[in-house]
Amino acid sequence: MTSHSLVPQSAALRIPVAQMRNVFHPGDVERKLARLQDAGSQREYENLRAVYERMLERGPERFQVKPSGVPDMSGLYELLPNFTDVLDDVKRHVALAQDSSDGLEVTPMLLLGPPGIGKTHFARHLAELLGTGMNLLPMSSMTAGWLLSGSSAQWKGARPGKVFEALVEGEYANPVIVVDEIDKASGDAQYDPLGALYSLLEHDTAQSFTDEFAEVAIDASQVIWITTANDARGIPDPILNRMNVFEVEAPTLDQARTIALNLYQGIRNSHDWGRLLDPEPQDDVLDHLAHMPPREMRRALMTGFGNARLDRRSTVEITDLPKAANARGRIGFVQ
């Protein structure tokens, strides 16, 4: 499907280069809508008719964005020290797209590692870096494949799938879609939650992905796929073979202290009440936080900030934080 430049290539480094890309052909939608109208006013197709009208109203063009240069990622390397290999891979893909009219393509990736080490957190930062949107699909709560690919309009309560919604209702042709906890997908022989991924993770077939509800070809080839899992054994080999697999280790204690420091400063700097608190935490506070999974650090810090302000103190003390009982055993720090 077609694309054309929107922002000149000479844009400043931090401003993403954007093109407009068609994610569907309006003619296909018009033909589908005309058939519905010829069939008469069947109430069971009212939702489908509304979807087609919405598609034509919004039009097919979406932003396809990429950084206008290889960005300075030093901050991300510091913020996510245990994701170095993943960041290196992203950097290579960004470099390939520079000095050309090509859009940014990132090979689908699987972030494999224990819970709580920041896999979803990484995905959010990647979406911010690339200047595109992010959609989170928690597979642990998905029991049927149609949640990704839509269900037939003939079924009661049918609706489009998440991929269709991200591209048709969203602003971007290349959103980051995170399939979270892909190893926890459950289903039966009739509805495979991962079934749609066989075509979506392949660039060629994703160019004409057909949602079962709308039955209109959608260009999903530019989607940036990030999947996360705790254990690869529950993922079919054909899915694994379509992705770059990165085994993300839990941070070392030193890396965990760095993560805790960055979180402390990031939260403090993003709130007006942060000016009432010390610019840096005490060493024993960092040591305490370092024994928590990154997922729990933020909650602990918010508790600590609140307790400090209740006592009218600017310093967060270790007694202000919740206990990290057995946290080290759960996260499995690398020595």
Side-chain angles (χ1 to χ4, degrees), residues 23-297:
V23 297
F24 62 86
H25 295 294
D28 294 343
V29 182
E30 291 169 352
R31 284 190 290 273
K32 291 285 187 180
L33 182 58
R35 290 175 187 172
L36 282 184
Q37 292 171 339
D38 291 343
S41 57
Q42 301 179 44
R43 293 187 61 185
E44 61 265 32
Y45 292 118
E46 287 181 1
N47 289 341
L48 182 58
R49 183 179 292 106
V51 167
Y52 289 151
E53 291 174 347
R54 173 67 173 163
M55 292 175 73
L56 294 174
E57 177 186 355
R58 292 209 65 203
E61 290 191 329
R62 301 292 180 270
F63 291 110
Q64 180 181 5
V65 298
K66 65 181 180 182
S68 57
V70 179
D72 179 8
M73 295 167 60
S74 57
L76 278 182
Y77 280 97
E78 184 177 348
L79 184 65
L80 303 162
N82 51 331
F83 286 82
T84 297
D85 290 343
V86 193
L87 291 169
D88 286 346
D89 188 61
V90 171
K91 204 169 187 176
R92 284 189 290 267
H93 283 89
V94 173
L96 283 173
Q98 301 313 306
D99 303 318
S100 74
S101 59
D102 294 341
L104 174 65
E105 292 183 22
V106 177
T107 302
M109 64 178 69
L110 169 64
L111 307 181
L112 187 62
I117 62 172
K119 298 187 291 290
T120 307
H121 187 60
F122 165 84
R124 294 187 188 279
H125 280 287
L126 179 61
E128 292 175 5
L129 172 75
L130 301 179
T132 186
M134 187 190 111
N135 297 266
L136 181 64
L137 308 181
M139 292 302 291
S140 60
S141 63
M142 292 190 175
T143 58
W146 54 263
L147 290 171
L148 275 173
S149 60
S151 55
S152 172
Q154 298 178 7
W155 292 91
K156 183 178 180 179
R159 57 175 297 171
K162 300 295 185 180
V163 176
F164 180 94
E165 290 180 351
L167 292 168
V168 173
E169 294 296 335
E171 301 295 330
Y172 301 99
N174 59 338
V176 173
I177 296 184
V178 181
V179 183
D180 201 28
E181 296 185 314
I182 189 174
D183 52 327
K184 291 184 173 58
S186 60
D188 53 36
Q190 186 176 5
Y191 297 112
D192 179 7
L194 303 182
L197 289 179
Y198 290 94
S199 60
L200 286 167
L201 296 180
E202 289 280 7
H203 183 270
D204 292 343
T205 54
Q207 292 183 53
S208 298
F209 171 72
T210 301
D211 182 272
E212 291 186 27
F213 179 83
E215 295 185 329
V216 174
I218 298 293
D219 183 1
S221 64
Q222 304 303 303
V223 170
I224 299 170
W225 291 96
I226 301 177
T227 66
T228 74
N230 301 332
D231 190 337
R233 289 175 294 182
I235 306 172
D237 286 340
I239 297 291
L240 285 174
N241 294 338
R242 286 164 164 79
M243 301 185 290
N244 286 340
V245 180
F246 297 94
E247 294 191 17
V248 182
E249 294 184 335
T252 64
L253 281 172
D254 285 342
Q255 289 175 337
R257 289 181 96 258
T258 299
I259 293 171
L261 174 61
N262 287 327
L263 277 174
Y264 178 100
Q265 294 177 331
I267 295 171
R268 176 185 178 274
N269 294 337
S270 63
H271 292 86
D272 180 60
W273 46 255
R275 60 188 171 80
L276 304 174
L277 294 157
D278 294 346
E280 293 190 4
Q282 296 180 325
D283 286 340
D284 60 346
V285 167
L286 282 182
D287 291 337
H288 184 82
L289 291 168
H291 286 85
M292 296 180 179
R295 177 185 293 169
E296 295 181 11
M297 287 183 187

